[in-house]
Amino acid sequence: MSVEREIPYKIYLEESEMPVAWYNLRADMKKKPAPMLNPQTLQPATIDELSAVFCKELAEQELNTTDAYIPIPEGIRSFYKMYRPAPLVRAYCLEKHLGTPAKIYYKFEGNNTSGSHKLNSAIAQAYYAKKQGLKGVTTETGAGQWGTALSMACSYFDLDCKVFMVKVSYEQKPFRREVMRTYGASVTPSPSETTAVGRKILAAHPGTGGSLGCAVSEAVECATSQEGYRYVLGSVLNQVALHQSVIGLETKAALDKYGVKADIIIGCAGGGSNLAGLIAPFAGEKLRGEADYRFIAVEPASCPSFTRGKYAYDYCDTGMICPLAKMYTLGCDFMPAPHHAGGLRYHGMNSMLSELYDQGILEATTVKQTEVFQAAVEFARVEGILPAPESSHAIRVAMDEAIKCKETGEEKTIVFGLTGTGYFDMVAYEKHNNGTLTDYIPTDEEIAAALSKLPKVD
Ligand SMILES: *Cc1c(COP(=O)(O)O)cnc(C)c1O
């Protein structure tokens, strides 16, 4: 297969330096991520099969491993223009605070109402759903970032948006819930009486606070039992990683313009979408032998998919309707400890990043949540942005790398992804401020128990 490297148009809009095409890193990988499998037949999933689950064009993007550039439709670009390009900021105050010779840059994705990078893919998924003539989409949300982003995107394209929100979050995070409703989404606390699976769970566990797995099952049932609806996911899939490549393309355009070459690129990793997007064009250079970089994925010690998981086929969704992906996973039943406050609780990792990690192109490390919140507070005080706990995993490691430079005197350039703001995470900040935040690291037995339930695929 030949790799389509020709771009028939300029890659950036002249007036704003915003990308006009997404970059598909898989095209530059000699060894591609393993194919997705149909969960019933365990054979590689075809476009037709995937189209029953995803919109047609998103299914094509999911399976496209050969086109390096995929044009961003005008309808999506005009939405991106409201909040992109996102700023690439030199963290002068943080450098001074740390006394490091390193140069630190961060790409800030919190500059929109949903407060995170998730809007970059939400708007693309809503666009293709609208184009295909669907009535609406369903999804689950825990902390609420994905649900909020999807609500904004659906409102823009006048699509119905049904969000199943884990009941405890629904009750404890009324502000996120109201942002979603302000954008016209219907938000249902899960488990609910509106689905068969919800009624069953409520009958068995009256008064339960719900779980992400249960909310997924309700969202899936809601989509599959109604004409014109699809269930959508905000991370882990390669289509989501593709949409997030706008982060990396803009970062590269800005660094090239400043004449700066990054040495280390760092991102937090939940399902891996922001990290995949941030490193994409740089990883392309590395794979083609044009430049070298260190890429570091940062995950919570309480949910260590890369560092303690297994590279195996697993379900992407707890509802087990999406195709299986080969990825670093802790098993789709894995649940991080309840007092884990920092997000990034997804059980698996994007399959493209998993393959890069397996090939040694990408490194991974874990951090504990108490260290993460210390970094978050230091960053908030010197750089002025109150970071999301998820993003603060990347801040922690960027600071640690900058401190190492202080010890060795090396003037490295460190770039990290600041994926969002933390205004809706003040309960977690409150615990940090009160000194009641604790660390939890799962035991080998707990991880082995979750891994023993992986689907059997040869
Ligand atoms: C969802 C989220 C993440 C993690 O998701 P990825 O798919 O791993 O990027 C990170 N930061 C913020 C602010 C988020 O909302």
Side-chain angles (χ1 to χ4, degrees), residues 114-118 144-146 176 234-236 240 244 247 268-276 342-346 349 353 388-392 418-421 425:
S114 78
S116 83
H117 66 287
K118 292 202 173 67
Q145 286 101 318
W146 168 242
R176 275 254 179 241
S235 181
V236 88
V240 181
Q244 296 298 355
I247 304 173
C268 62
S273 72
N274 87 84
L275 177 67
L344 309 176
R345 30 176 78 244
Y346 188 72
M349 270 303 155
L353 283 187
E390 291 91 342
S391 323
S392 306
L418 186 64
T419 50
T421 46
D425 300 287

